[in-house]
Amino acid sequence: MSVGGDIGVWSVLLAIVGSALRVSTPYLFVSLGETLTEKSGRINLGLEGTLMMGAMSGYAVALGTGSPWLGVLGAGVTGAAFGLLHAGLCSLPRVNDIAVGIALFIFGTGFAVYLGKPLVHPVAPRLPDIDLGFWSSLPSLRAALQVNALLIIGILLAPAMLWILHNTRWGLKLRTVGDSADAARALGYSINGVRATATAIGGFFAGVGGAFLSLYYPGAWTENLSSGQGLMAVTLVIFARWNPINCVFAALLFGGASALGPALQAVGITSNYYLYGAAPYVLTLVLLIRTSSTKHRLFGAPSELSINK
Amino acid sequence: MTKQHNRTRRQILIGSGSLMAAGSFLAAAPRPVFATPMTVGFIYEGSKDDFGWNQSHAVGARKIAKETGAKLVEQEKVPETADVERVMESMIQLDGAQVLFPTSFGYWPFILKLAAKYPKVLFVHAGGLWKQGDPANVISYRGYMEEPHYCCGIAAGMMTKTNKIGFVGPKPLYFIFNNCNGFTLGARSVNPKVTSLIIITGDWANPVKDADAVNNLVDQGCDVIISDSDAPKVSIETAERRGVHSCGYHTDLSSLAPKGFVTGAEWNWAKGADFVKAWQTGGKYPNLLIGGFKQDLVAISPFGRSVPDAVKSAVLKARDGFTNDTLKLYHGPLKDNEDHLVLKEGEVIANDDSAFKTKVNFLVEGTQGQTGLKKQ
Amino acid sequence: MIGAAVWRGPEAAVLTVGAVLVALLAFGIFVAFTGLDPFAVYKVLYLGAFGSRFSIETTLTLAAPIMLTALCVVIPARAGLLIIGGEGALVLGGLGSVLAGVALNGAPASLATPLILLAGAAAGAIWIAIPAALRQFRGVNETISTLLFNYIAIALLNHLVSGPIRDYGQPLKPTSWPIPSAFMIGTIPGLSVHWGLVYGVAACLVAFVVLRQTTFGFALSILGGNLRAAQMAGLPVAALALTAAALGGAAAGLAGAVEVVAVHGAASISLVVGYGYAGILVAFVARQNPLAVVLAALLVGGISASGGLLQRRFGMPDAASTVLEGCIFLAVLGSNSLYGRLRFLQSRSAEVK
């Protein structure tokens, strides 16, 4: 079946943009959170577990209080608790942060599914839509531009984070800890304290990302709710080169790429969708290969990060 | 259990005519007649409250337990590996299960292996795969879901305003294409202007992809959606939010879309009660049972509030047509969506022609999309 | 540092057993909070894992593949690489063995089956050697790249079984071409456990001997301990790292091949059931010691085996096993910090040395 000329191309593009806007928010939050954590010199590979815990607890709180925004808050707090757990374990001597991340990934996913059993059937109040496409008369464009406040918050958060990192005392402290633990120690900073704060905030963001999944899109609590959005956090951060602004683009790109298969099928291109689905991973790999070097650390990467060593 | 009762049960089973053409009858092998309540084990690949495939079986399990008085043991999230073999044996050895319902397609090879080892246990698989030479204590049953999809299609064809309807499929498999064809044929039987769009997500159930497939279809102009995802909950909810109509699949999903729900294609796994009773009393049972409305293996969901009476009666008429075999799903002239003639004028495929249906690798005219299958 | 690269005998054993007990205690407290009797749960856990011949056989069956995927973490870890690509290597092993099995159609089984297993191992080896090479020659972090490789492997599997190598005779589930049934391997005589267990245990033993007793193993541990030292000693760093990664990949690939020749007879998405991730857990619980991998795999296999009973006896969610596994993982990692703190053990282990 032919794509049908210009209209087909446009509708594919529109579908991809629409999907990217719908799907990318969790990617955005986990990548912002992970950026902050990694800027402090720690890597948290366990955000998948945090995301699931956030999705579950957010749904539970929203259900209990009737307020989806309280749910988002609850998800963030749960995420922060998981971040603190990660930070606490990593602050012990001889404990590898990547391993702790994998452990928290397993634990968090299991715990969320366990505790979430009674939440499968009840319906929690959903986060409201914001109609950004009100000016258009095209229904598909309007639908594509119907977004959630969390996406806008996430997009605004990115420059704010960049500013905080570069223009505040705390941001400087964080970057110092992440770039040279020795220098930070000499300046009398509490390395574990700074990293714990960064990981907790990172966990908070990941929890909020999870709440987006359960409270907005797709907007239900199910056991297979996340298909690796949290695991992808580390990848996204590399993609974004530890720059919060780039996280926005990385998240939109990943969201858009995941929509490539369905969007193309909707206009009649129906083969190889598994390969389209793998596009973001291949793309990240190519980017990693292009930007890595044995001579120097990854461009933009905090040098205390264990993946540089 | 008295001899008298035994005979009655057997007569009822034979008399009910619940058995299909392709199925083969087997005289029951000599085996003990169980006097005490049976233990029936259900094994699910996913979560049993997934609003989908697994839930449809869990619903059936409860009906079977109620109807037969059997004790129910259940285990969820059993992968299609050596794991399921151990779970089945565990239910036999530790729970004393006499009938097992391993419900996932991929359990089949493990069932065949164990059935030979445990001839006193009945294995009931939802798949319709039994063939001559397979163990006698195995039943494989499934429904012709394309028939209720046809009914959904009729409703969709009558209710669409855009003349575009959407189908979300999980994997490129013959029964998914049959379902899609049923949906399209039903719609076009009442409204020839209808086009149906198909999206294959590639995953049995992936909430984000399922929701996005629905959004894509709605963006393309579809205003009635059916999702054959293994867990269509998020598809239905997404359709509801987008303000379009939706049809369910697997089990009754009407509660998920109070405004837009039309009807749905459901399995009637409770039919398994007949097998449990036959096994309990030494009665006869089929090894292979595939059927549609006529054999009472499929059903349609309760109609949603928005469905007009004219639509309801058209849908019920089609259902009755399948039940009394006056309506045939595939009949000539039939073209696929690549303009090949599949059936000539006057050619009719019997509704229980499994051989034809398992070879379906085409989408009927009026469908936008491809199977992606190699043409054989 | 990935776990403890140095095996410290009794100290490691005591710390690990202690961590598992702490995790069980934490799990028991959690279970009590949900209103169940923790002792009844412990009892069923034990019965389901090791309580009868049947339970033990189940545990062995479930432990077999994760011994092999654990080696995919353990062997590269000796060279200082943290590989989490076991899931993908297993998938590639499964695909490789299917292609070999189909190609060898007609050959005698005594020749074909070993070749099929070898093909699976080779596919896994190449798959994991690529990220190791990227690490050596381009500086690409191997943890991240193997994570990506998992997703790519699964997409490849899905793509191939949905079209290019699909068996259209399998109507209900996209499945690859089958290998000839004559090439399938059966169960160990006297046990209802397939031969994969023997391969798993044997691989762990071989890995232990190679890593412990050979020059190669010694060179790897120097590399894993200190890259600069290895370079100064004139060791072929790249070759060593690549070999270690390839051996690990071969183990996971073998796991995939065993799944094909002992269980499925073909490749399908049933290969992707988390054995790779369970292998990471086992590797860390075993503190990267190949002999301890056997025991840790039995522990994790036992937990999975009893998970079903927990569901059926107490109505606990299936995720109970995952929660317990997560607790154990966290506790074992946390216990790393206690190395050298337990004085009575130190003196003992010094005496042993």
Side-chain angles (χ1 to χ4, degrees):
Chain A
M1 191 139 297
S2 79
V3 178
D6 284 349
I7 302 156
V9 174
W10 279 112
S11 62
V12 170
L13 278 178
L14 193 62
I16 291 174
V17 170
S19 290
L21 290 175
R22 282 191 296 265
V23 173
S24 56
T25 309
Y27 288 119
L28 177 56
F29 274 88
V30 293
S31 61
L32 286 176
E34 184 70 20
T35 298
L36 200 66
T37 307
E38 291 191 14
K39 276 280 184 191
S40 80
R42 278 251 176 82
I43 186 162
N44 184 355
L45 215 60
L47 287 188
E48 178 78 11
T50 314
L51 185 91
M52 283 297 277
M53 279 304 290
M56 187 276 296
S57 55
Y59 201 75
V61 171
L63 197 65
T65 62
S67 157
W69 287 108
L70 279 178
V72 173
L73 188 68
V77 171
T78 310
F82 261 65
L84 282 178
L85 184 57
H86 183 276
L89 279 166
C90 291
S91 66
L92 299 172
R94 284 177 296 274
V95 177
N96 174 279
D97 54 352
I98 292 184
V100 172
I102 300 168
L104 279 176
F105 157 45
I106 295 174
F107 178 72
T109 330
F111 207 47
V113 170
Y114 193 115
L115 295 178
K117 272 284 167 195
L119 300 173
V120 172
H121 284 273
V123 179
R126 187 169 171 263
L127 289 166
D129 289 316
I130 293 178
D131 198 2
L132 279 187
F134 59 89
W135 47 272
S136 169
S137 56
L138 264 171
S140 54
L141 189 62
R142 285 192 70 155
L145 291 177
Q146 198 164 61
V147 296
N148 176 259
L150 281 177
L151 176 64
I152 297 166
I153 293 173
I155 291 175
L156 294 178
L157 209 55
M161 227 171 93
L162 189 71
W163 188 83
I164 289 169
L165 280 173
H166 288 274
N167 296 291
T168 64
R169 261 184 75 90
W170 186 76
L172 181 68
K173 209 163 149 183
L174 182 83
R175 284 186 299 127
T176 312
V177 169
D179 278 328
S180 167
D182 290 336
R185 223 171 274 126
L187 289 166
Y189 296 155
S190 154
I191 292 172
N192 279 331
V194 170
R195 287 183 178 163
T197 316
T199 316
I201 298 175
F204 187 96
F205 286 178
V208 171
F212 177 90
L213 284 176
S214 63
L215 292 174
Y216 186 71
Y217 193 75
W221 165 249
T222 64
E223 296 182 2
N224 55 353
L225 185 59
S226 166
S227 39
Q229 282 91 334
L231 269 175
M232 274 301 104
V234 209
T235 310
L236 282 156
V237 172
I238 292 171
F239 214 98
R241 299 192 178 187
W242 293 269
N243 179 339
I245 305 283
N246 289 346
C247 284
V248 177
F249 300 112
L252 286 172
L253 192 71
F254 267 60
S258 69
L260 201 57
L264 287 175
Q265 283 185 56
V267 292
I269 301 168
T270 38
S271 44
N272 301 330
Y273 31 87
Y274 290 113
L275 300 183
Y276 299 133
Y281 313 121
V282 177
L283 220 58
T284 313
L285 195 65
V286 169
L287 189 94
L288 253 178
I289 295 169
R290 286 186 58 94
T291 55
S292 297
S293 162
T294 48
K295 306 273 188 310
H296 57 79
R297 64 194 166 91
L298 272 176
F299 180 76
S303 32
E304 283 292 316
L305 216 53
S306 54
I307 58 166
N308 284 316
K309 291 179 175 171
Chain B
M1 201 99 353
T2 63
K3 191 89 182 161
Q4 180 61 39
H5 185 89
N6 190 353
R7 190 173 301 127
T8 321
R9 175 54 57 209
R10 195 175 294 194
Q11 281 161 348
I12 288 171
L13 255 181
I14 294 165
S16 69
S18 63
L19 311 167
M20 61 152 309
S24 61
F25 285 89
L26 264 171
R31 60 191 145 74
V33 172
F34 300 96
T36 49
M38 309 269 284
T39 299
V40 174
F42 268 78
I43 302 170
Y44 311 100
E45 204 261 338
S47 156
K48 66 175 184 276
D49 47 8
D50 63 349
F51 289 92
W53 170 259
N54 295 294
Q55 183 167 325
S56 74
H57 284 284
V59 168
R62 271 142 197 84
K63 286 183 184 161
I64 290 170
K66 202 173 163 203
E67 201 179 324
T68 63
K71 180 173 173 274
L72 185 62
V73 288
E74 296 174 285
Q75 188 167 332
E76 300 175 281
K77 297 269 189 80
V78 180
E80 296 168 339
T81 63
D83 211 349
V84 68
E85 204 178 313
R86 304 302 301 179
V87 171
M88 288 191 279
E89 285 204 85
S90 167
M91 284 184 166
I92 295 167
Q93 296 199 0
L94 303 181
D95 297 327
Q98 294 120 330
V99 182
L100 286 180
F101 287 81
T103 59
S104 191
F105 299 149
Y107 293 159
W108 181 242
F110 305 102
I111 292 171
L112 291 183
K113 217 163 135 188
L114 275 197
K117 191 170 166 187
Y118 294 98
K120 288 183 180 163
V121 176
L122 179 66
F123 294 78
V124 187
H125 176 245
L129 294 175
W130 194 91
K131 56 188 185 310
Q132 210 64 47
D134 287 339
N137 54 327
V138 175
I139 297 175
S140 198
Y141 72 144
R142 70 178 281 114
Y144 291 125
M145 263 298 184
E146 51 275 19
E147 293 180 3
H149 272 78
Y150 187 92
C151 296
C152 293
I154 288 179
M158 293 173 81
M159 292 174 76
T160 175
K161 294 198 174 62
T162 58
N163 289 331
K164 276 186 173 179
I165 59 177
F167 178 95
V168 180
K171 297 259 178 184
L173 292 159
Y174 84 90
F175 63 94
I176 296 296
F177 297 128
N178 272 315
N179 290 348
C180 184
N181 286 342
F183 190 57
T184 313
L185 288 170
R188 287 169 68 90
S189 73
V190 293
N191 179 356
K193 291 197 294 286
V194 165
T195 329
S196 71
L197 276 64
I198 175 171
I199 289 184
I200 303 283
T201 61
D203 288 324
W204 284 114
N206 177 324
V208 173
K209 277 191 188 171
D210 289 351
D212 230 55
V214 171
N215 270 315
N216 267 306
L217 290 169
V218 177
D219 288 346
Q220 300 289 316
C222 298
D223 62 353
V224 188
I225 306 283
I226 189 164
S227 167
D228 274 17
S229 159
D230 245 21
K233 182 186 181 193
V234 292
S235 309
I236 303 269
E237 288 176 338
T238 307
E240 181 80 349
R241 271 177 216 139
R242 292 296 301 267
V244 301
H245 290 294
S246 57
C247 298
Y249 183 43
H250 293 306
T251 188
D252 181 5
L253 301 176
S254 52
S255 64
L256 296 174
K259 287 204 293 277
F261 192 79
V262 179
T263 179
E266 288 185 28
W267 309 99
N268 181 25
W269 299 120
K271 198 79 192 154
D274 293 351
F275 312 145
V276 176
K277 287 185 220 162
W279 192 250
Q280 186 163 24
T281 57
K284 283 188 179 179
Y285 56 87
N287 287 110
L288 181 65
L289 176 62
I290 311 180
F293 285 112
K294 189 180 158 199
Q295 294 83 5
D296 195 23
L297 279 162
V298 296
I300 50 172
S301 304
F303 289 106
R305 278 208 304 254
S306 60
V307 183
D309 286 339
V311 174
K312 287 181 189 168
S313 59
V315 168
L316 292 175
K317 195 175 150 223
R319 184 192 66 182
D320 296 341
F322 284 120
T323 309
N324 56 35
D325 214 11
T326 52
L327 178 61
K328 310 289 183 199
L329 188 87
Y330 289 117
H331 58 82
L334 181 71
K335 271 187 184 172
D336 69 13
N337 65 354
E338 289 165 347
D339 213 29
H340 302 120
L341 196 65
V342 179
L343 297 174
K344 288 193 288 283
E345 179 82 50
E347 247 185 306
V348 178
I349 300 297
N351 281 336
D352 54 11
D353 187 347
S354 287
F356 177 86
K357 286 183 170 177
T358 48
K359 286 204 180 67
V360 164
N361 60 357
F362 62 88
L363 294 168
V364 295
E365 187 178 18
T367 320
Q368 187 182 327
Q370 288 165 346
T371 61
L373 295 183
K374 191 172 65 182
K375 295 284 177 225
Q376 285 157 313
Chain C
M1 189 174 55
I2 311 157
V6 192
W7 305 320
R8 306 189 202 195
E11 192 179 14
V14 168
L15 282 178
T16 309
V17 172
V20 170
L21 290 177
V22 166
L24 278 170
L25 184 70
F27 183 70
I29 293 170
F30 167 66
V31 160
F33 267 110
T34 64
L36 293 168
D37 173 11
F39 296 100
V41 169
Y42 288 144
K43 193 177 164 198
V44 167
L45 260 176
Y46 171 75
L47 288 179
F50 307 105
S52 65
R53 182 193 165 87
F54 177 78
S55 306
I56 293 171
E57 283 175 349
T58 306
T59 299
L60 291 172
T61 306
L62 299 180
I66 53 183
M67 285 179 198
L68 289 168
T69 51
L71 288 181
C72 189
V73 182
V74 167
I75 303 174
R78 276 302 261 190
L81 298 171
L82 179 42
I83 302 279
I84 57 173
E87 195 88 15
L90 184 146
V91 165
L92 262 286
L95 286 171
S97 63
V98 163
L99 294 181
V102 171
L104 288 165
N105 193 6
S110 56
L111 178 73
T113 306
L115 283 176
I116 291 171
L117 293 172
L118 207 62
I126 294 168
W127 189 250
I128 297 298
I130 298 170
L134 288 175
R135 158 80 188 227
Q136 287 305 316
F137 303 117
R138 291 288 318 185
V140 177
N141 175 262
E142 77 285 357
T143 312
I144 312 269
S145 61
T146 48
L147 173 67
L148 292 168
F149 263 51
N150 284 341
Y151 284 94
I152 296 170
I154 294 167
L156 192 65
L157 170 75
N158 270 321
H159 177 72
L160 290 176
V161 300
S162 300
I165 62 164
R166 178 163 177 184
D167 173 12
Y168 284 90
Q170 292 291 331
L172 299 179
K173 183 179 160 187
T175 307
S176 79
W177 301 322
I179 63 166
S181 55
F183 299 166
M184 298 285 286
I185 54 174
T187 53
I188 302 165
L191 273 180
S192 57
V193 181
H194 64 67
W195 281 99
L197 175 69
V198 174
Y199 301 143
V201 174
C204 289
L205 289 175
V206 170
F208 182 77
V209 172
V210 167
L211 294 185
R212 244 290 149 95
Q213 309 289 345
T214 64
T215 328
F216 168 70
F218 184 61
L220 276 190
S221 63
I222 294 175
L223 172 58
N226 189 331
L227 174 65
R228 194 69 53 78
Q231 282 165 338
M232 272 164 48
L235 292 173
V237 170
L240 281 172
L242 250 69
T243 312
L247 287 176
L254 181 62
V258 169
E259 282 297 295
V260 169
V261 295
V263 182
H264 298 293
S268 74
I269 198 66
S270 295
L271 290 174
V272 185
V273 289
Y275 289 147
Y277 289 102
I280 302 172
L281 165 70
V282 166
F284 276 93
V285 172
R287 297 183 191 277
Q288 315 294 350
N289 178 335
L291 272 191
V293 160
V294 176
L295 297 175
L298 288 177
L299 176 72
V300 172
I303 292 171
S304 309
S306 56
L309 269 192
L310 290 181
Q311 274 190 51
R312 273 140 56 196
R313 295 284 183 275
F314 300 108
M316 287 173 91
D318 62 280
S321 347
T322 323
V323 171
L324 178 55
E325 285 165 11
C327 288
I328 290 177
F329 200 162
L330 290 170
V332 168
L333 290 175
S335 74
N336 277 349
S337 64
L338 293 178
Y339 266 117
R341 301 261 180 101
L342 307 176
R343 203 164 289 164
F344 69 99
L345 276 170
Q346 275 193 323
S347 52
R348 276 252 296 281
S349 53
E351 278 165 31
V352 171
K353 278 171 195 162

